[in-house]
Amino acid sequence: MVTQNPLDDPAADPFEIARQAADDIARITGVDRHDIALTLGSGWGRAAELIGETTATIPATEVTGFSKPALEGHAGTLRSILAENGKRILVIGARTHFYEGHGPRRVVHSVRTAAATGATTMVLTNGAGGIKADWQPGQPVLISDHINLTGASPLEGATFIDLTDLYSARLRDLARTIEPNLDEGVYCQFRGPQYETPAEVQMAKSFGGHIVGMSTALEAIAARQSGMEVLGFSLITNLAAGISPTPLSHAEVIEAGQTAEPVISALLARVIGAL
Ligand code: 8IG
């Protein structure tokens, strides 16, 4: 049987579908409201264990509007975590990427769902390529701003949203109270799934970009539309094409992520604990 995603009906209201998804989460987890939402990108997966006690784990497929996994047989999960300070954290381990081709509604559904569960802070993490010459693979950096190079938007119609201070200066300062050496940079979202050419990396650099990736910007826009405060982290898993003297290898990206994972997960858990 072919199951249709309700977000694919252009007449459907994506916020109503997010409301239904939040109701699914409340029913399955028994938690009425979440305070903070956290999307885990590549390299950040272990943070969930350190944030607090996981009180429920849900396959994303059981929540209205979530997409089928991009990678065969690997359904993403949502977790409800109770932190030591009593806050409820919704951990989203089920990201839909723009390059999957299902459109921005599906990409940002998890963010809109997080807002509908009550979350007022959205923490977005990703693995990405680094442009700053002094960055090393395995280094976490804060996202200070973004350049959306996808040509797409999650906003529909004449929806004018201010993006000044999209990546909250207050939350970046708070993160630096935990790790004073955290550098920050401007994230450029490319469509992907191919990595950039060296010329595209130079374009991003000349535009003022420091980080290249395939997620986060569209999600951050939707988070702001929903009134959430946004904190963004990139794990620099590789130097961007042409910045690195060697070609990008997916295996190297995975390995850098695995090596960095314990350190950055602990950092992220401490930041979440301080929010
Ligand atoms: I991990 O170098 C990771 N994701 N666009 N470029 C883009 N996405 C990435 C990269 C990269 N590394």
Side-chain angles (χ1 to χ4, degrees):
M1 194 182 84
V2 179
T3 50
Q4 173 79 47
N5 187 307
L7 288 163
D8 295 344
D9 173 2
D13 173 5
F15 296 95
E16 174 52 31
I17 295 166
R19 162 63 34 225
Q20 289 171 23
D23 288 346
D24 292 336
I25 290 169
R27 176 172 43 78
I28 299 168
T29 63
V31 177
D32 279 352
R33 261 189 83 80
H34 286 82
D35 302 297
I36 297 166
L38 166 63
T39 298
L40 293 176
S42 37
W44 298 91
R46 297 268 296 284
E49 295 148 39
L50 305 173
I51 292 167
E53 179 202 348
T54 297
T55 61
T57 304
I58 321 170
T61 47
E62 290 184 20
V63 181
T64 302
F66 277 69
S67 299
K68 290 280 168 331
L71 302 177
E72 193 68 46
H74 207 87
T77 56
L78 304 177
R79 296 203 217 185
S80 181
I81 295 184
L82 176 59
E84 272 176 30
N85 61 9
K87 294 218 168 135
R88 297 284 182 170
I89 324 290
L90 181 68
V91 177
I92 301 161
R95 187 176 243 147
T96 298
H97 286 90
F98 186 61
Y99 59 68
E100 291 171 47
H102 301 303
R105 276 189 178 191
R106 293 238 219 143
V107 171
V108 303
H109 179 60
S110 63
V111 170
R112 288 180 173 152
T113 298
T117 68
T120 53
T121 305
M122 184 76 232
V123 183
L124 297 168
T125 68
N126 60 57
I131 296 180
K132 279 197 193 176
D134 61 339
W135 285 352
Q136 300 295 324
Q139 179 176 347
V141 299
L142 288 163
I143 301 175
S144 59
D145 201 346
H146 81 219
I147 300 174
N148 173 12
L149 296 173
T150 65
S153 171
L155 309 180
E156 300 180 23
T159 308
F160 305 109
I161 302 285
D162 175 57
L163 300 181
T164 309
D165 198 37
L166 176 57
Y167 298 87
S168 165
R170 186 184 80 85
L171 295 182
R172 280 182 278 141
D173 285 346
L174 191 145
R176 280 187 290 254
T177 64
I178 306 287
E179 175 48 84
N181 295 325
L182 270 174
D183 202 357
E184 63 181 28
V186 173
Y187 182 92
C188 297
Q189 180 174 358
F190 281 82
R191 182 195 184 278
Q194 72 283 356
Y195 294 124
E196 297 70 36
T197 62
E200 288 166 342
V201 170
Q202 288 306 312
M203 176 192 76
K205 185 178 178 184
S206 73
F207 284 3
H210 307 110
I211 307 164
V212 286
M214 305 177 195
S215 67
T216 303
L218 297 177
E219 296 161 26
I221 294 167
R224 168 50 53 91
Q225 180 189 25
S226 291
M228 291 191 282
E229 197 172 11
V230 177
L231 178 62
F233 280 103
S234 289
L235 169 66
I236 303 303
T237 56
N238 58 279
L239 298 180
I243 303 291
S244 164
T246 55
L248 271 61
S249 116
H250 184 62
E252 271 178 354
V253 165
I254 299 294
E255 198 195 308
Q258 283 172 354
T259 307
E261 197 156 39
V263 177
I264 63 170
S265 298
L267 166 65
L268 182 57
R270 289 186 64 203
V271 171
I272 300 273
L275 289 176

